[in-house]
Amino acid sequence: MASDRITLSEALSMAIGGMVGGGIFAVLGVVAAEAGTATWMAFVASGVVAICAGYSALRLNAQTEEQLNPIAYIEQFTGSTTLAGMTGWTFIAGYVGTMSLYAYSFGGYFAELIGADAVAGLPLQPLITLLVIVVFVGLNLGGAHASGRTENVLVGLKVLILLVFGFGGLYYGFQRGLIASGFADLQVSTLLAASIGFVAFEGWELLLFDQENIENPQRTISKAIYGSIVFATALYVVVAVVTTNLVSTAVIQRNAETALAVAAEPFLGQFGFALISIAALFSTGSALNATLFSASRLSRMLVADDLLPSQLRGRNEDEPIRPLLVLGVLTALLSGFGGLDGISSFASLSFITIFGGFSLLAFFERTSIVSALIPAIGFLGAIATIAGLLYNLVTTEPDVFVAVVGISVAVVATELLYFDRKPILAEARDLEHRL
């Protein structure tokens, strides 16, 4: 029935919920600590790369004979099942990174909101982080309808509170002459450092994995992707301007996990701190819910195509129970192992690589100057972002760099071993037979 299909407003809600949870509450403090009042320009630059990737993905989608997903694009346009499978694994790794980021931030805001560091002798933040993962895994095990209703409520509350913060903060700042353009802080190294926050623009691509459930998919997805990226970028700009002008860089560096809540105190007092902390809980919870929902269904699809181990295939064809449980465990492990910088860097690297791949593939399929120029900008922007992220980590946080590269190498190595397993097993059986 038509009423069961995802409408434009619901598609926008899912895409915005996926993006804003990471960009506003989870990584803004990390980016602002490096870029200062130029943070808003860093988000604009990342938004340009994201919208070029969105254009590229939609171009590829339009050129397929049927409604395919991004994994199928890779296979159709390159002819390589292995490359398509590795892209799927990279998606899963990136989603685990973003879910860890959202859960980690949720725990941080919750602990600050109630003003406690421990409960029953246990650190409160990791405990809440684990609990929120368990709750949303359980919610998704309950089915798509329960998850979708929750998503609409969370996104609506989040956006309303952020609008109050953004426009209230701008009014307060302009009235007191506190708002600066940020150009004084603009440096190439600053913008490169801000690439760690590219994960803020992950989320819109989730719609491409659920096209069969979307009403009038070609038209709806196109409007939802462009609309959500533009909206998220504008929201990031407003919130970044308010945060970096009302709070000093030194204060942001000390409170990177809760920078937005701290920025609300000058004009809203303690009530503002509590209000933004509550919004952060809605936002990170919304993003975790939306990402877990789509990532579990992506995993089920990869299992069906023999791109993930068959052991993940469960008896229930309606709900991907085993993928949900595995994703929950991996998310809990990463959020417990890594810090905010390391988790966000790993997630950003995953999605910059994927989005850059979209743009490169669309460039090869160009048919006009416009269809060549936009993907070219997206691809070159992705390369520059990857270089900036790695350079920043090497020069400022070498330990995080080693951790991010180590995890990335482990993921790629596992992918290669899995997709080359058949030749390897065949050679091993042949050797055993000869012996």
Side-chain angles (χ1 to χ4, degrees), residues 183-417:
F183 289 105
D185 283 345
L186 179 60
Q187 302 176 31
V188 174
S189 59
T190 301
L191 289 176
L192 293 178
S195 62
I196 195 174
F198 189 83
V199 68
F201 290 92
E202 176 279 320
W204 54 266
E205 80 290 340
L206 294 169
L207 299 175
L208 296 169
F209 288 107
D210 204 22
Q211 296 188 60
E212 68 275 9
N213 294 320
I214 296 177
E215 186 178 283
N216 193 1
Q218 289 280 0
R219 185 163 172 258
T220 299
I221 291 175
S222 179
K223 288 184 176 182
I225 286 178
Y226 289 134
S228 62
I229 294 175
V230 170
F231 177 84
T233 303
L235 192 59
Y236 296 165
V237 167
V238 171
V239 173
V241 168
V242 171
T243 301
T244 57
N245 281 281
L246 298 189
V247 180
S248 69
T249 301
V251 172
I252 292 175
Q253 288 174 337
R254 290 196 302 270
N255 302 274
E257 295 175 15
T258 56
L260 268 179
V262 173
E265 287 188 289
F267 66 100
L268 291 174
Q270 190 59 36
F271 169 76
F273 184 92
L275 182 68
I276 296 302
S277 295
I278 292 171
L281 299 181
F282 283 126
S283 185
T284 51
S286 166
L288 176 58
N289 179 59
T291 308
L292 184 60
F293 176 83
S294 293
S296 62
R297 279 145 183 81
L298 169 59
S299 300
R300 181 176 60 184
M301 182 201 75
L302 294 176
V303 171
D305 293 338
D306 195 30
L307 299 177
L308 277 176
S310 59
Q311 288 81 357
L312 290 175
R313 184 181 290 109
R315 297 178 181 178
N316 188 341
E317 295 297 329
D318 294 327
E319 298 301 329
I321 294 176
R322 291 184 183 178
L324 275 169
L325 294 174
V326 171
L327 287 168
V329 170
L330 292 175
T331 300
L333 288 173
L334 183 58
S335 61
F337 170 76
L340 189 62
D341 287 352
I343 295 171
S344 57
S345 296
F346 172 71
S348 289
L349 184 61
S350 298
F351 285 103
I352 295 167
T353 302
I354 292 170
F355 291 170
F358 283 169
S359 295
L360 181 61
L361 199 55
F363 177 79
F364 288 144
E365 299 296 324
R366 62 191 181 278
T367 57
S368 66
I369 294 178
V370 172
S371 65
L373 181 61
I374 296 177
I377 293 173
F379 177 69
L380 294 175
I383 294 297
T385 304
I386 292 172
L389 188 153
L390 296 177
Y391 176 79
N392 175 62
L393 292 180
V394 167
T395 55
T396 63
E397 299 181 83
D399 292 342
V400 175
F401 171 78
V402 171
V404 170
V405 171
I407 295 173
S408 301
V409 169
V411 170
V412 173
T414 303
E415 292 173 356
L416 289 172
L417 285 173

Side-chain angles (χ1 to χ4, degrees), residues 420-434:
D420 287 339
R421 70 192 187 286
K422 291 182 179 178
I424 293 173
L425 290 173
E427 290 182 13
R429 283 192 295 267
D430 182 61
L431 179 60
E432 182 182 359
H433 179 70
R434 284 181 292 176

Side-chain angles (χ1 to χ4, degrees), residues 7-22:
T7 63
L8 176 59
S9 62
E10 291 168 337
L12 278 167
S13 178
M14 291 294 286
I16 292 171
M19 282 190 287
V20 173

